[in-house]
């Protein structure tokens, strides 16, 4: 049971990561062509102004926000990463939460990613 | 009829039996499915899509059934065990006996948030963490370290939820303003309500989607469940659950909830309104 559940967990994470890796470059190209960032249809209230992509080092960790096509299942127009590992984020009310900070709302994907870095204490997402 | 008791009033033997039942359920491989189910719903419950476990009216009946299932599994280990509740408005200190080494154990250490004492400390070898968002294989807590939530919710915050004159309201999500459900779940009033605040105050796993990794999850939710019963008692003339008729993406009074319907078991909010069909609280008449 324990090994099975762990494999399932890791498998799901890997699938999410692969999906994002394939989708992100295309979405970025699209966004560049259109001159405006792609936004998720159902979450326009979060993405109306367009997400700001980001790529910087915060507390020693590389944090990235890559624009995505938006509108798909659990595609909110941006995918975020800590040292290349995907961090699951989602809109909540007028802000954002993540799997690391699920009961705490932040203003933007950028802020929720920085909060995850603080919670991670130097370890990697899985 | 099983009686759920205030954790502060458990005897030494009752504290031990509860802890031992948790450890044995974990050893048998029966614990982690609850972490998995909770995480799955946390990931899919969105303000403007289908939502069942959180940010929706069914938050309370969903967790009531979730706790009932878990309590029955604990009772398969020891039939005398019931879920205790944590009255966090009263037992609100980090040095409270709830966090003693003979019960839930204490705070995580500074370096990596690892819980170092009590039955769930990693060094004891009986509480490995399987469903996790990061690499750490041990139980994590960061009690009192959340800058926005330095203290547990007060009795006044809980009273504000209990005073709500109706159960829930449109848009039936985290932005619903005045109903009991969103006040007690906590998203209302700038995310200051009790349930969310306790998750943040404990921190570590409790602030993640895998919060049931921390056994304190059950004691928190048992008290939230008790508050729903208290709210009903205080407002006997209003509907104990809303909406009564179907609304898109929402579980109405007589509609089946996931995950149970996926397992062929029809569980609807109407079945779960009266807790006394299943158990009593030690404060019930």
């Amino acid at each position: 049971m324990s090994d099975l559940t762990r494999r399932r967990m890791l498998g799901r994470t890997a699938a999410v990561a692969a999906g994002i890796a394939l989708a992100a470059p295309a979405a970025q190209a699209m966004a560049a062509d259109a001159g405006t960032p792609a936004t998720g249809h159902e979450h326009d209230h979060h993405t109306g102004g367009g997400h700001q992509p980001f790529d910087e080092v915060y507390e020693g960790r590389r944090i990235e926000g890559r624009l995505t096509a938006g509108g798909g299942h659990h595609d909110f127009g941006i995918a975020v990463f800590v040292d290349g590992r995907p961090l699951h984020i989602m809109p909540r009310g007028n802000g954002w939460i993540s799997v690391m900070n699920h009961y705490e709302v932040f203003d933007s994907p950028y802020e929720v990613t920085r909060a995850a870095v603080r919670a991670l204490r130097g370890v990697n997402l899985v | 009829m099983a009686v759920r008791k205030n954790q502060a009033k458990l005897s030494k033997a009752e504290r031990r039996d509860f802890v031992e039942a948790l450890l044995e359920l974990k050893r048998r491989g029966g614990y982690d499915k609850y972490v998995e189910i909770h995480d799955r719903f946390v990931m899919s419950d969105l303000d403007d899509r289908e939502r069942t476990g959180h940010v929706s009216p069914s938050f309370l009946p969903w967790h009531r059934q979730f706790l009932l299932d878990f309590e029955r599994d604990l009772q398969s280990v020891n039939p005398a065990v019931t879920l205790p509740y944590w009255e966090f408005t009263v037992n609100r200190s980090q040095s409270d006996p709830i966090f003693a080494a003979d019960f839930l154990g204490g705070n995580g250490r500074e370096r990596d948030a690892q819980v170092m004492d009590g039955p769930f400390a990693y060094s004891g070898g009986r509480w490995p963490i399987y469903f996790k968002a990061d690499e750490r294989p041990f139980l994590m807590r960061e009690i009192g370290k959340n800058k926005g939530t330095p203290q547990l919710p007060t009795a006044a915050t809980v009273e504000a939820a209990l005073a709500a004159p109706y159960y829930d309201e449109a848009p039936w999500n985290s932005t619903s303003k005045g109903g009991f459900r969103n006040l007690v779940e906590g998203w209302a009033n700038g995310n200051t309500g009790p349930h969310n605040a306790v998750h943040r105050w404990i921190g570590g796993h409790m602030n993640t989607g895998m919060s049931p990794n921390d056994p304190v999850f059950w004691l928190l939710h048992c008290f939230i469940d008790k508050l729903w019963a208290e709210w009903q008692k205080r407002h006997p003339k209003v509907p104990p659950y809303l909406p009564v008729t179907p609304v898109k993406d929402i579980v109405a009074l007589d509609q089946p909830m996931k995950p149970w319907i996926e397992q062929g078991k029809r569980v609807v909010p109407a079945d779960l309104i009266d807790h006394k069909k299943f158990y009593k609280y030690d404060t019930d008449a």
Side-chain angles (χ1 to χ4, degrees):
Chain A
M1 173 69 185
S2 303
D3 285 333
L4 176 67
T5 53
R6 187 163 34 200
R7 278 200 302 277
R8 198 185 300 148
M9 178 72 192
L10 292 171
R12 190 193 67 187
T13 307
V16 169
I20 288 167
L22 291 172
Q28 282 173 315
M30 266 174 49
D33 287 348
T36 52
T39 57
H41 172 71
E42 290 187 324
H43 289 275
D44 283 347
H45 55 296
H46 297 292
T47 57
H51 286 299
Q52 292 298 317
F54 55 91
D55 185 351
E56 65 183 49
V57 174
Y58 174 69
E59 295 197 352
R61 313 293 299 269
R62 183 180 182 191
I63 58 170
E64 294 168 87
R66 305 176 195 160
L67 301 183
T68 60
H73 184 65
H74 273 252
D75 180 348
F76 307 113
I78 188 165
V80 303
F81 302 81
V82 177
D83 287 341
R85 308 275 184 112
L87 171 70
H88 188 107
I89 64 170
M90 52 207 271
R92 176 64 28 97
N94 293 317
W96 291 82
I97 60 176
S98 84
V99 69
M100 292 297 292
N101 295 84
H102 191 76
Y103 302 89
E104 189 167 9
V105 182
F106 294 85
D107 287 343
S108 64
Y110 176 68
E111 290 299 337
V112 83
T113 307
R114 284 157 58 102
V117 166
R118 295 191 293 273
L120 281 168
R121 307 293 188 91
V123 303
N124 285 311
L125 291 161
V126 293
Chain B
M1 171 74 61
V3 177
R4 292 182 178 177
K5 299 176 185 173
N6 186 327
Q7 61 81 29
K9 293 180 179 163
L10 297 183
S11 69
K12 232 177 159 45
E14 286 171 328
R15 284 159 75 89
R16 185 198 59 218
D17 286 351
F18 177 65
V19 165
E20 284 302 320
L22 289 166
L23 294 170
E24 177 59 17
L25 187 61
K26 180 87 161 178
R27 191 190 67 78
R28 292 182 187 180
Y31 188 93
D32 289 283
K33 70 181 179 207
Y34 291 95
V35 187
E36 189 272 335
I37 290 167
H38 188 269
D39 179 48
R40 178 149 54 91
F41 279 82
V42 145
M43 294 295 200
S44 61
D45 292 327
L46 288 161
D47 278 325
D48 59 357
R49 298 188 196 174
E50 181 183 299
R51 50 198 182 276
T52 304
H54 306 84
V55 288
S56 62
S58 45
F59 168 71
L60 288 154
W62 190 91
H63 281 86
R64 179 164 283 175
Q65 185 65 45
F66 193 58
L67 265 62
L68 272 170
D69 290 357
F70 182 71
E71 189 175 49
R72 282 172 190 152
D73 277 353
L74 286 181
Q75 288 165 350
S76 74
V77 175
N78 180 347
V81 166
T82 56
L83 291 180
Y85 62 89
W86 172 28
E87 199 171 5
F88 48 77
T89 51
V90 173
N91 301 99
R92 46 188 299 106
S93 154
Q94 278 193 50
S95 55
D96 189 273
I98 190 177
F99 300 116
D102 74 332
F103 201 43
L104 301 187
N107 204 354
R109 65 180 174 186
E110 187 57 37
R111 172 154 57 91
D112 55 9
Q114 181 174 177
V115 169
M116 298 303 290
D117 70 339
F120 310 104
Y122 191 66
S123 59
R126 299 178 77 182
W127 205 257
I129 301 296
Y130 298 121
F131 277 91
K132 51 196 197 246
D134 67 45
E135 296 170 324
R136 287 171 283 187
F138 45 78
L139 179 62
M140 301 184 280
R141 290 187 187 136
E142 302 200 62
I143 298 178
K145 292 177 187 168
N146 188 293
K147 285 195 176 67
T149 313
Q151 301 292 334
L152 282 165
T154 62
T157 311
V158 168
E159 173 57 31
L162 288 173
Y166 48 91
Y167 178 77
D168 205 349
E169 64 180 341
W172 318 105
N173 62 20
S174 79
T175 67
S176 296
K177 289 196 167 64
F180 170 71
R181 189 276 308 169
N182 201 32
L183 286 167
V184 80
E185 185 177 4
W187 305 105
N189 296 326
N191 199 19
T192 54
H195 158 262
N196 285 355
V198 176
H199 274 281
R200 290 192 302 275
W201 186 79
I202 297 279
H205 280 111
M206 276 292 275
N207 200 22
T208 73
M210 295 80 164
S211 44
N213 273 316
D214 191 333
V216 76
F217 173 93
W218 307 105
L219 286 80
L220 160 62
H221 269 280
C222 193
F223 189 56
I224 299 296
D225 184 83
K226 184 171 185 286
L227 291 177
W228 187 26
E230 286 180 28
W231 178 82
Q232 289 180 40
K233 203 172 164 189
R234 200 189 284 200
H235 304 275
K237 291 179 180 158
V238 304
Y241 184 87
L242 290 172
V244 173
T245 52
V247 173
K248 183 176 181 288
D249 293 332
I250 296 300
V251 179
L253 182 65
D254 293 306
Q255 290 184 312
M257 291 188 287
K258 293 178 180 175
W260 300 282
I261 193 65
E262 299 164 339
Q263 302 151 6
K265 190 178 169 197
R266 188 180 160 84
V267 178
V268 303
D271 296 336
L272 292 158
I273 284 167
D274 180 11
H275 72 283
K276 291 185 192 174
K277 286 177 9 191
F278 309 103
Y279 51 85
K280 287 172 85 168
Y281 282 108
D282 55 2
T283 52
D284 285 335

